[in-house]
Every structure is written in structure tokens, then in C-alpha cells.
Amino acid sequence: MQARPQSAMISGNANPSRLTGPKLKLKTSMTANLLCPCNSKLPYSECCQPLHTKQHSAANPEQLMRSRYAAFVKAEFDYLIDTHHRDYRQGLSAQTLAQMPKTQWLGLQIVTREPLTAGQTKARVTFKAWYLADGQLDAIFEESEFIFEGGRWFYTEGKQFAVSYPKRNDTCICNSGNKFKHCCLKRI
């Protein structure tokens, strides 16, 4: 993922006054705090957090791309720099990322991924990362390129595409399983 908007934790933007009871409030905050933002359906502690804390390295380009998305959501800017190949950073720093405008990340969709073969050192993953910035819905629609070097995968660069916005009856971009009109469309 290229550096575009700064992240804001989705759970930090919840409006507690909209919750109707203590059980719903507890369930909502527990889910928001435990599930990994990369849409793996795994707890953050078992998914991207071990990558962000350097306990493990990404095993493949898709895992690296997902962990980079989660790093934007969690404001793990050092991780984003660490996993961006040094030859492609073009002066980008964690400080630069931290100063970017606030963004509310909504969801990640994997569009395509190249199957890996033994000894492969380059790969691509195409994705859509949906977000709200200043009340406007947008997405990073990118084919990201990755390189395997020194026993680790690194993001190098990406090719950006124009995004088609979801229709009212499409499945929501946040991966809730609800229709867009009953979910994230209400936030716009």
C-alpha cells in the first residue's frame, strides 16, 4: 500500500450514544478491539499484531499487504516504513505518515493475488482499501508489487486504478455482510 491517508482506529470513532444497551455496547467494543482489521476474521493478537511487533515476518505477499493495511488502521507507521523496500521509499518516513490527514478505514477487499511458486522473489496483490476522509467515501484500488529479499517480503510500489463505488444493494465494503445501504452508506 502506498502512503495516502493516515489511519484512525475504527473503534475509536464509535458513537456510544447510538448503542441501545450494555450487552450491545460490550459486544461491539469487544469485537472492534479483538478482530484484526485486515479482515482475516482472526483476533488481532493472532494475526497482524505479531508482525507489527516483529515477532514474525510475513510469510507471503498477501499477508504482508494485509498487515500493512492493519498497520494503517492501527497507526503502526514504523512497521509501514520497515516493510517498504528502502529503494522505493522516496523519502517517506514514519513522521510523514503520522502527519497525514485523519482517515477512518472501513474495510479491505482482496481482488486478486498471484499464486506463489518455490523460489519466487516477486509477486503482486490487487486490493481495495475503503476509507472515509472528511466525510467522503474513497478507496485505494491498487495492484501492489512485492519483492522477497534477505528472507523477507517487502512492498515496493503499486499501480493505482479508478474505483467503482458500491451500489446501495451491494454487500458492504466493511465486510459486515450487510447491504451497503444498511451499513457504511449511513456514515456518508
Side-chain angles (χ1 to χ4, degrees), residues 50-72:
L51 301 172
H52 294 166
T53 58
K54 298 182 183 181
Q55 296 172 30
H56 303 287
S57 293
N60 57 58
E62 181 182 344
Q63 186 181 32
L64 179 60
M65 191 277 310
R66 287 179 175 279
S67 70
R68 287 178 55 82
Y69 171 81
F72 273 102

Side-chain angles (χ1 to χ4, degrees), residues 2 7 19 35 49 68 70 92 97 110 113 134 147 150 180:
Q2 287 185 337
S7 67
L19 303 174
L35 289 181
Q49 186 177 34
R68 287 178 55 82
L92 187 64
L97 291 171
I110 306 299
R113 62 183 93 35
D134 296 324
I147 188 167
F180 182 59

